[in-house]
Amino acid sequence: MLTCCIKQHIAACSCVEACRYDGLFTLHCTAHALDLALESICDFPYFSDPAKVSKKIIKVLTNHHTTSALFKSHSKLFLLKPGDTRFYSTYIAVRRLRCQSAIRKTVVSEEWDEWAAKRDYREKAKVVSKAVLDHGFWRSIANFCHVLKPIVRLLRLVDSNMPSMGKVYPECAAIETHIEQCKLPADVRADVATIFRQRWDDMHSPLHSVAYMLEPQFQDTDFGTEVRKDFRDGVKRMVETADEYKAVLSQHTKFTNKEGIFGDEDIMSLTQDDSEHSIPTYQFWAEHGHETPALAAVAKRVTSMVSSAGACERNWSAYDFIHSKKRNKLTAQRANDLVFVFSNLRLTTRFREPEKFAEWVEEIDEEQQEALLGLQDDEQFVPAFEMEDAADSDHAEESD
């Protein structure tokens, strides 16, 4: 049973869990929990201040014809406005400010000075110019993106239509390690770690541990006591008899010890994410789990699950856009057809015009994105402290 991470649903799920129904698990939407974690983290002044200034810069450079045309003359990258209903939209908008050089060229140009001299725009231009020319602002933007990037990466993973149950536990552990290693003030780091731990406790389920221990790419991982306990508890609730439970545990030992087909490196590498011949985990167990039928039955059931309700919510949003209060006489078939066309046109547009949606297209890394957009070297995002270090080194070489 998959629900959102609001207090009412958490309370209802606690009542269901207390009844201990066999085979029934309550799972909170991972994407919603991660988005709430991002919102809570962004409420800290350390992160909210640069985000607010970034929104002002984006608003000035997109809402006025003069500034918009001036910015587009220096950059091929579109600036994006944060959306109220989309996951991690603030991060996307702030991350898009990586075209730092183009923004700087915009605010130091003569056309900008002419526009800023007008009385109606004088205050806005002053705020934007002060922030853009401040190295501390760009340092805060770099820290903002660096801290939140792994959380957003996991949110993108679970918000897709592909099953990702087995990836949640290791990714969350990696995020906690990342937060501990971030160069942040001690109090901010502690608060961020506490927020993320609370959200992880809200969305955690034994199913995460079961799927984690059944992922072939984590076969050699040294699982901790907590993960192994959740695995045993989860399997016991999923099977019907004690004999099946013992069979699953016995066959899982063969899996971890690489006995039989599980010792073939070529077969076990089929689920590696970086392989061009990669297959989903549930498909791996369906095709290669014949030596351990009891374990394969549990694995196919768990690894084929999604951990997010985002797909359902997107479908409901599309229906709400098509079948509204003013347009309420559509038949069910006509509404289904319009939603189908609307959703597919939106996907097609994102791939045909990547310069507008490159931050939202999944599985595109930085190098591919820059090559796709034709970005020049001076348009790449460079944190201010790196620019200062480079300038200092150049100055030292000139002095020598």
Side-chain angles (χ1 to χ4, degrees):
M1 185 171 66
L2 185 62
T3 66
C4 294
C5 291
I6 59 178
K7 294 182 179 180
Q8 294 83 349
H9 289 180
I10 293 176
C13 289
S14 299
C15 296
V16 174
E17 286 285 349
C19 297
R20 303 290 293 182
Y21 293 106
D22 293 336
L24 179 61
F25 293 86
T26 59
L27 184 67
H28 302 298
C29 178
T30 307
H32 189 206
L34 293 173
D35 186 63
L36 292 176
L38 289 174
E39 291 181 359
S40 300
I41 293 173
C42 291
D43 287 339
F44 289 116
Y46 187 87
F47 298 101
S48 63
D49 292 344
K52 291 178 182 178
V53 176
S54 299
K55 292 178 182 180
K56 292 181 181 179
I57 295 175
I58 295 171
K59 186 175 181 180
V60 169
L61 295 181
T62 56
N63 285 7
H64 303 278
H65 294 292
T66 302
T67 56
S68 178
L70 183 58
F71 171 75
K72 291 178 181 179
S73 66
H74 296 295
S75 175
K76 298 180 182 180
L77 201 63
F78 286 77
L79 294 179
L80 300 175
K81 296 180 180 179
D84 294 333
T85 60
R86 186 172 181 85
F87 290 147
Y88 58 88
S89 62
T90 299
Y91 173 87
I92 294 176
V94 174
R95 179 70 180 85
R96 186 53 68 91
L97 291 180
R98 67 190 181 93
C99 49
Q100 177 182 356
S101 177
I103 299 176
R104 285 176 176 269
K105 291 178 181 179
T106 301
V107 300
V108 298
S109 62
E110 296 181 358
E111 293 85 350
W112 173 270
D113 293 337
E114 294 177 0
W115 176 83
K118 299 179 180 179
R119 183 175 60 182
D120 295 340
Y121 309 133
R122 194 172 299 164
E123 293 298 326
K124 298 179 182 179
K126 184 178 179 181
V127 173
V128 172
S129 298
K130 181 180 179 180
V132 171
L133 299 178
D134 182 16
H135 291 299
F137 168 74
W138 295 108
R139 182 182 289 107
S140 63
I141 291 297
N143 291 336
F144 179 92
C145 296
H146 176 69
V147 174
L148 301 184
K149 184 176 181 178
I151 303 178
V152 173
R153 186 190 299 115
L154 177 58
L155 202 159
R156 282 178 172 175
L157 175 65
V158 300
D159 197 34
S160 63
N161 295 326
M162 294 298 295
S164 58
M165 186 68 69
K167 308 292 194 308
V168 175
Y169 201 109
E171 289 292 334
C172 287
I175 290 174
E176 290 186 333
T177 303
H178 171 78
I179 293 174
E180 293 176 358
Q181 296 175 351
C182 285
K183 296 181 179 180
L184 298 172
D187 55 339
V188 176
R189 188 190 306 111
D191 292 338
V192 172
T194 301
I195 289 176
F196 185 79
R197 168 51 64 174
Q198 290 175 349
R199 292 303 176 185
W200 168 238
D201 292 339
D202 290 340
M203 66 182 177
H204 177 58
S205 168
L207 292 176
H208 291 125
S209 300
V210 175
Y212 179 28
M213 293 188 66
L214 293 176
E215 282 284 345
Q217 60 180 303
F218 301 126
Q219 187 182 22
D220 297 327
T221 304
D222 184 15
F223 303 103
T225 305
E226 180 181 355
V227 178
R228 295 182 181 276
K229 181 179 180 301
D230 287 343
F231 176 80
R232 293 191 297 269
D233 293 343
V235 171
K236 184 177 292 186
R237 294 173 58 183
M238 295 178 68
V239 299
E240 296 180 356
T241 64
D243 291 338
E244 291 183 12
Y245 174 67
K246 294 178 181 179
V248 172
L249 296 183
S250 176
Q251 294 174 11
H252 184 263
T253 302
K254 297 181 180 180
F255 171 71
T256 55
N257 292 338
K258 301 182 179 181
E259 300 179 7
I261 194 174
F262 301 121
D264 191 329
E265 294 183 359
D266 294 332
I267 293 179
M268 298 305 294
S269 63
L270 289 175
T271 59
Q272 297 294 332
D273 295 335
D274 56 351
S275 173
E276 58 179 311
H277 305 293
S278 177
I279 61 175
T281 304
Y282 66 89
Q283 186 176 346
F284 167 86
W285 284 103
E287 297 181 1
H288 305 289
H290 54 274
E291 294 185 1
T292 54
L295 181 64
V298 174
K300 288 186 291 185
R301 180 180 172 185
V302 176
T303 57
S304 61
M305 296 179 181
V306 295
S307 55
S308 171
C312 297
E313 294 184 0
R314 284 191 291 271
N315 188 52
W316 297 334
S317 298
Y319 263 100
D320 185 64
F321 178 76
I322 299 296
H323 194 278
S324 61
K325 293 181 179 180
K326 293 183 178 180
R327 194 183 187 188
N328 57 6
K329 294 185 179 181
L330 293 174
T331 61
Q333 185 60 40
R334 176 63 64 85
N336 289 336
D337 294 341
L338 289 175
V339 170
F340 176 83
V341 173
F342 172 78
S343 300
N344 284 278
L345 279 177
R346 184 168 55 182
L347 289 175
T348 303
T349 303
R350 289 184 180 180
F351 284 94
R352 285 184 177 178
E353 302 180 11
E355 68 277 2
K356 293 183 179 180
F357 303 98
E359 290 284 355
W360 293 352
V361 176
E362 299 176 2
E363 305 298 336
I364 295 183
D365 57 24
E366 294 298 321
E367 294 181 359
Q368 292 175 335
Q369 192 177 105
E370 290 165 2
L372 186 65
L373 301 177
L375 294 178
Q376 303 298 325
D377 292 339
D378 61 343
E379 289 183 323
Q380 299 178 9
F381 181 83
V382 180
F385 52 84
E386 294 184 8
M387 295 180 61
E388 291 176 348
D389 294 341
D392 294 340
S393 61
D394 294 341
H395 180 71
E397 292 177 0
E398 294 178 358
S399 300
D400 294 340

